[in-house]
Amino acid sequence: MPTPPRRRFLAGMAAMTTASACSRLAFAQSTSPFRVSVINDEISQDFARACEVASKDFSMHWIELRSMWSKNIVALDEKEVAETRSLLAKFALKVTDIASPLFKVDWPGAPKSKYSESKSFNADYNIHQQDEVLERAISVAKAFGTDRVRCFDFWRLEDQSPYRDAMNEKLRDAAVKAEKEGIILVLENEPACNTATASEAVKVLNAVKSRSFLLNWDPGNAAASGEIPFPDGYKLLPKERLGHCHCKDVVKDGAKFEWAPMGAGIIDWAGQFKALKRDGYHFAVSLETHWRGAGTQEDASRKSWAGMKKLLQDADAL
């Protein structure tokens, strides 16, 4: 991995953790029942610019970290971590989670997935590097004062059934390691991976029964996989296992699905926000724009945030 030696990196991260735990108490609190946030690189790879827009223009107190300066979050060196922490403090932003690329790789011994060549936000790690990806994700989570790390369950197979038990065992093992460090893994339902919908997520949650293994519920991804995410998919989910939520919208064009600004697609987001509030969910609702129809990433995120803000207001959640 293109980072400093592991021992030195982990030692540097540990030294930053105590200061982070103290400083995060000083941040302003949002009036929303949720941690309203945006994924930083949906605005810009310039982290200072992303923080400025999230804090000043979007009036957010939270941000989700995925990649910056064209480097994945788990590839940052100690100097870059220190610079990230400085910018977070400058703009009074807390971190919802580390949007790591953990387990976005082929399952060993299985047929190669058609998604194998996908690049995941400046991440290009193989199956043999996943233990270190987990270690680094845990370390940067501690450095940035969050207890959540996003993960996946391997590139999607045409038939995952012969490998599903072994995949679940790998997820259980990762959850055990995370729990020992006070970290929670949040599995994202992702069309390119083996858990794409709420119905598939329920099966994995039932197989990996750990308080350190929750779901990153993504209605947009579920919709793009052919499921009606709300109310149908959401009804299936164990509400106590929801640990994070990504917000994006989709439209259907014939048999295909395309990304759309929040509020301009087919998902009942106002209903989803109301249901999350009703069910006592109080973690992140994080804008993951994905739509690129407004010229620049920043412009697209601005338009999508305007839609999301109205939907939250309609749900009496902002």
Side-chain angles (χ1 to χ4, degrees), residues 25-270:
L25 298 176
F27 286 105
Q29 295 297 307
S30 172
T31 57
S32 174
F34 311 131
R35 299 172 180 179
V36 182
S37 67
V38 61
I39 302 180
N40 70 289
D41 58 11
E42 291 287 351
I43 297 172
S44 175
Q45 282 291 327
D46 180 341
F47 190 61
R49 180 59 180 167
C51 288
E52 180 179 25
V53 171
S55 176
K56 294 187 176 181
D57 298 348
F58 294 178
S59 298
M60 291 178 176
H61 304 293
W62 296 86
I63 195 165
E64 180 172 355
L65 304 185
R66 186 167 57 195
S67 66
M68 61 272 289
W69 308 305
S70 298
K71 294 181 73 171
N72 189 271
I73 186 66
V74 300
L76 300 184
D77 61 29
E78 292 168 56
K79 183 178 179 181
E80 290 162 334
V81 169
E83 175 66 11
T84 301
R85 284 165 49 87
S86 177
L87 288 167
L88 290 169
K90 176 181 178 179
F91 291 101
L93 289 168
K94 291 188 287 188
V95 176
T96 58
D97 71 307
I98 301 303
S100 86
L102 182 64
F103 300 141
K104 247 190 178 182
V105 291
D106 279 308
W107 181 254
K112 191 172 184 179
S113 169
K114 66 180 181 180
Y115 298 101
S116 294
E117 302 306 318
S118 302
K119 298 299 180 185
S120 182
F121 300 97
N122 300 300
D124 188 18
Y125 305 121
N126 61 43
I127 186 64
H128 304 294
Q129 295 171 299
Q130 294 308 297
D131 286 345
E132 189 170 353
V133 170
L134 176 58
E135 282 189 56
R136 288 184 180 274
I138 288 172
S139 294
V140 293
K142 290 181 177 182
F144 296 134
T146 180
D147 66 350
R148 269 144 227 261
V149 169
R150 188 264 306 267
C151 70
F152 300 91
D153 66 342
F154 310 96
W155 293 129
R156 193 168 184 88
L157 298 169
E158 292 295 325
D159 179 14
Q160 61 181 277
S161 56
Y163 314 99
R164 191 67 249 184
D165 287 346
M167 289 178 186
N168 291 340
E169 184 58 34
K170 185 65 175 177
L171 295 174
R172 280 191 289 268
D173 178 65
V176 168
K177 292 177 180 177
E179 185 171 4
K180 289 178 180 178
E181 299 292 337
I183 297 295
I184 295 169
L185 298 181
V186 286
L187 174 74
E188 181 172 344
N189 58 293
E190 156 66 56
C193 294
N194 287 298
T195 294
T197 61
S199 59
E200 291 178 337
V202 169
K203 295 176 183 178
V204 180
L205 291 171
N206 286 337
V208 186
K209 293 185 180 296
S210 168
R211 61 185 179 182
S212 289
F213 187 81
L214 305 178
L215 178 65
N216 175 6
W217 174 226
D218 191 318
N221 284 346
S225 300
E227 186 176 66
I228 299 173
F230 185 85
D232 298 15
Y234 183 72
K235 286 180 180 177
L236 303 175
L237 298 175
K239 307 307 183 284
E240 74 280 2
R241 301 289 298 278
L242 299 181
H244 194 72
C245 181
H246 277 166
C247 304
K248 53 182 177 277
D249 218 333
V250 298
V251 292
K252 191 170 184 181
D253 181 11
K256 297 195 310 180
F257 292 91
E258 303 288 345
W259 303 123
M262 285 287 288
I266 62 176
I267 299 173
D268 179 8
W269 270 108

Side-chain angles (χ1 to χ4, degrees), residues 38-39 41-43 58 66 247-249 259-262 286-293 296-305:
V38 61
I39 302 180
D41 58 11
E42 291 287 351
I43 297 172
F58 294 178
R66 186 167 57 195
C247 304
K248 53 182 177 277
D249 218 333
W259 303 123
M262 285 287 288
S286 189
L287 176 62
E288 187 183 24
T289 310
H290 271 21
W291 174 69
R292 294 290 180 263
T296 68
Q297 279 188 287
E298 181 178 317
D299 290 340
S301 287
R302 285 181 182 277
K303 183 169 183 178
S304 205
W305 166 239

